[in-house]
Amino acid sequence: RKEVEQDPGPFNVPEGATVAFNCTYSNSASQSFFWYRQDCRKEPKLLMSVYSSGNEDGRFTAQLNRASQYISLLIRDSKLSDSATYLCVVSRGDYKLSFGAGTTVTVRA
Amino acid sequence: DVKVTQSSRYLVKRTGEKVFLECVQDMDHENMFWYRQDPGLGLRLIYFSYDVKMKEKGDIPEGYSVSREKKERFSLILESASTNQTSMYLCASSLGTSSYNEQFFGPGTRLTVL
């Protein structure tokens, strides 16, 4: 079983729409959670950390459900520039990270 | 801004060749990592280093070795390249040893082994 599982998508949405997707993780000891963004043929970059109480950064909202071991990301008012692959990232209890394979989002005009 | 650079964006090698991939970071980070990224599999950790001359195996170290002689430089070595090592290789660095710390990635090296 993969440590982090994501729906690969693609999620094709029109500009201005809301899109949401989840990932699940298997290690109940994980303490740190992140969403990274990877543009086509580029390196991953941190989008946001995910906190237990949930957190928001502009149009992006992340939620953590420890009981069910899943993390979600919601993007409101989608922009063309939001088109990317979103990687769910979970710590392993040390300083190593486990990466999901990514969810691809395509925002169309 | 943290900058992580990798020696090549694209590399084509033949089976059996020795391959060196170099990574340099300019922010005095303690930790450096080598990953490979393959479609549908996500990033998988090959090796990491938490200090000069210190290294630990990641999840898929077979066929690879690493070298960290200076804090800013972390090299990945394929002793005898094989076709199943064709992949995107990403180097990353982070400050300290906490998993809360952001990892900064280089632009990647797309290696093709023929």
Side-chain angles (χ1 to χ4, degrees):
Chain A
R1 183 187 171 186
K2 290 181 182 176
E3 292 186 37
V4 180
E5 302 223 36
Q6 295 185 248
D7 180 346
F11 287 75
N12 294 307
V13 299
E15 269 188 296
T18 295
V19 59
F21 42 89
N22 298 336
C23 83
T24 58
Y25 62 95
S26 60
N27 185 354
S28 59
S30 295
Q31 294 295 317
S32 308
F33 308 90
F34 311 91
W35 284 103
Y36 276 67
R37 171 196 169 122
Q38 186 171 24
D39 293 326
C40 189
R41 297 192 186 90
K42 298 281 191 178
E43 70 273 20
K45 293 183 179 177
L46 179 66
L47 176 68
M48 59 195 299
S49 301
V50 185
Y51 303 118
S52 297
S53 54
N55 50 298
E56 198 172 295
D57 183 359
R59 297 180 293 105
F60 297 82
T61 300
Q63 296 279 353
L64 169 64
N65 185 317
R66 284 188 185 272
S68 301
Q69 293 182 209
Y70 77 82
I71 307 153
S72 65
L73 182 67
L74 182 145
I75 307 172
R76 285 188 303 278
D77 188 22
S78 299
K79 312 290 184 193
L80 295 176
S81 56
D82 295 334
S83 296
T85 296
Y86 293 86
L87 307 179
C88 178
V89 183
V90 174
S91 71
R92 301 192 201 175
D94 51 21
Y95 42 88
K96 289 181 279 189
L97 301 175
S98 293
F99 288 78
T103 296
T104 298
V105 173
T106 302
V107 182
R108 61 183 189 275
Chain B
D1 273 356
V2 174
K3 192 160 186 185
V4 180
T5 56
Q6 295 184 227
S7 49
S8 305
R9 291 300 304 272
Y10 300 94
L11 210 51
V12 180
K13 295 292 182 180
R14 297 207 174 272
T15 302
E17 280 194 82
K18 191 168 187 175
V19 182
F20 293 87
L21 302 182
E22 295 213 315
C23 174
V24 178
Q25 51 95 1
D26 66 358
M27 283 301 290
D28 204 35
H29 283 174
E30 289 84 359
N31 301 329
M32 296 189 75
F33 308 82
W34 274 107
Y35 296 89
R36 62 178 283 177
Q37 185 175 28
D38 300 288
L41 295 179
L43 276 75
R44 292 180 291 166
L45 182 64
I46 305 171
Y47 266 97
F48 65 99
S49 169
Y50 51 89
D51 202 350
V52 176
K53 297 191 188 293
M54 306 302 288
K55 59 187 178 186
E56 283 195 28
K57 293 179 180 179
D59 301 314
I60 51 164
E62 297 78 18
Y64 304 95
S65 62
V66 291
S67 172
R68 193 165 180 200
E69 296 296 319
K70 293 185 178 180
K71 190 174 186 179
E72 68 271 18
R73 189 179 298 269
F74 191 35
S75 301
L76 179 70
I77 303 146
L78 286 66
E79 295 290 341
S80 177
S82 63
T83 54
N84 62 13
Q85 292 178 309
T86 291
S87 187
M88 170 66 83
Y89 289 88
L90 289 160
C91 174
S93 72
S94 70
L95 185 64
T97 56
S98 169
S99 60
Y100 290 95
N101 293 326
E102 178 181 357
Q103 290 190 13
F104 296 86
F105 286 84
T109 296
R110 184 164 294 281
L111 172 67
T112 301
V113 182
L114 302 176

